[in-house]
Structures are given as C-alpha cells and as structure tokens.
Amino acid sequence: MPFPSPSRPPSGPRRRTLLASAAGAALLAGCSLRPDDSDGGRGGSPSLAERTRARAARDSAGLVERYDAVLAAHPVLAAFVGPLRSEAARHAEAFGVGTSAPSAGSSTTSAPPRAGSASPSVSPSAAVPTNEKAALAELAAAERTLADRRAKALLDVPGELARLLASVAAAGAAHAYLLTEGAK
C-alpha cells in the first residue's frame, strides 16, 4: 500500500541546501579562524612558521647532500638523478637556504651545502649502497619521507608557507615516484 503524499509542500530550505550551507560555513570559519603564528614570535622565540621554514630549508639541503653522495658514488646516474637534485636545490633556496646552497644552474656534482645542515631523516652520512638500484630506492624513500612530513606540516602554518610546503611536498612525491620507477 503506497503512502499518501503530504497535503502541503514542505516549507523552508531543503535538507541538501542546509547541509551544503553548513559545510560551506565550516570551511569559511576554518579558514578565517585559523591561528596565525607568523607574528614574529613574541617573547624572543621564533614563530611556528619560522621554525617550519627553517626545518624545511635544512631538510632540503640535506636532501641535496644525499643526491650529491649518490652522484659521487654512481656518476652514471647523473642524467637521471641530476635534474631531481637541481629541483631539490631550488626547494632549499625557496625555503631560504643561504648562498652556500648550490644555485639551480650549478653542475650536479658541485660541492654540497653546509655540512651538518641535514635533519636526521635525510642525512647523507649513511653509506650509499654500491648497487645503483638500491641507491635510487634509498633516495626515493628519503623523498617520500620528506614529502609526507611537509604535507603534515602545511596544516599548521599560515597561507603562503602552506602553499610552498604543499608545492614542494607534491614535487617530492613525484620525485619519489620517478626514483622508484628508475630503481625497477
């Protein structure tokens, strides 16, 4: 037996309209109510944005050092790894590594940036595998780890730095994919 239809049309907005409005309001509120910690760090401590940028710069410089170590151990990989290394150097520059970082136009086997500037997760101090495929796999793992860390960090920093982190994280994920495919 069919149910009778309501005798009058429902008044007010429909359920879908309310849900869409609520979702839009939540997005707008999330964007406007996000704490902005880029005030320069009151009380003498650096702000979250400054700390995140400094860490990203160190991580990128460490990744460049890792690329340099692989290139020194396996010069035959220069055509494949060189462009990725140049991109990592540009990322370091974008995050503010000083003039000691190699420029984008420098050769792929130039001297690495400042010693000791790498973070533990991308430290080039570990021995480079003698097998080229294993060396590429380690570079891919370093790129993937760094891309994941940057993707998580971008949620806590203000606009422009979040966009930069997102862009560099996406590039790092692409590098990881290319290196993984190259290791096959």
Side-chain angles (χ1 to χ4, degrees), residues 26 30 63 71 92 122 132 169 172:
L63 193 57
L71 286 169
V122 291
E132 293 171 2

Side-chain angles (χ1 to χ4, degrees), residues 70 77 80-81 131-141 179-180 182-183:
V70 169
L77 295 175
F80 178 64
V81 174
N131 180 344
E132 293 171 2
K133 289 185 178 198
L136 290 176
E138 283 191 4
L139 274 176
L179 290 164
T180 301

Side-chain angles (χ1 to χ4, degrees), residues 33-59:
L33 295 177
R34 174 188 233 159
D36 186 32
D37 196 15
S38 61
D39 61 1
R42 294 181 202 129
S45 66
S47 72
L48 176 62
E50 291 168 343
R51 291 188 310 266
T52 302
R53 182 180 290 275
R55 180 171 185 175
R58 284 190 311 271
D59 288 345

Side-chain angles (χ1 to χ4, degrees), residues 26-136:
L27 285 174
L28 288 175
C31 290
S32 63
L33 295 177
R34 174 188 233 159
D36 186 32
D37 196 15
S38 61
D39 61 1
R42 294 181 202 129
S45 66
S47 72
L48 176 62
E50 291 168 343
R51 291 188 310 266
T52 302
R53 182 180 290 275
R55 180 171 185 175
R58 284 190 311 271
D59 288 345
S60 290
L63 193 57
V64 170
E65 289 178 4
R66 204 161 180 156
Y67 274 108
D68 288 341
V70 169
L71 286 169
H74 304 287
V76 71
L77 295 175
F80 178 64
V81 174
L84 301 177
R85 184 245 181 239
S86 294
E87 287 297 313
R90 279 194 279 272
H91 297 159
E93 290 173 6
F95 286 119
V97 170
T99 56
S100 64
S103 67
S106 67
S107 78
T108 58
T109 57
S110 66
R114 295 182 302 237
S117 63
S119 72
S121 64
V122 291
S123 174
S125 61
V128 175
T130 56
N131 180 344
E132 293 171 2
K133 289 185 178 198
L136 290 176

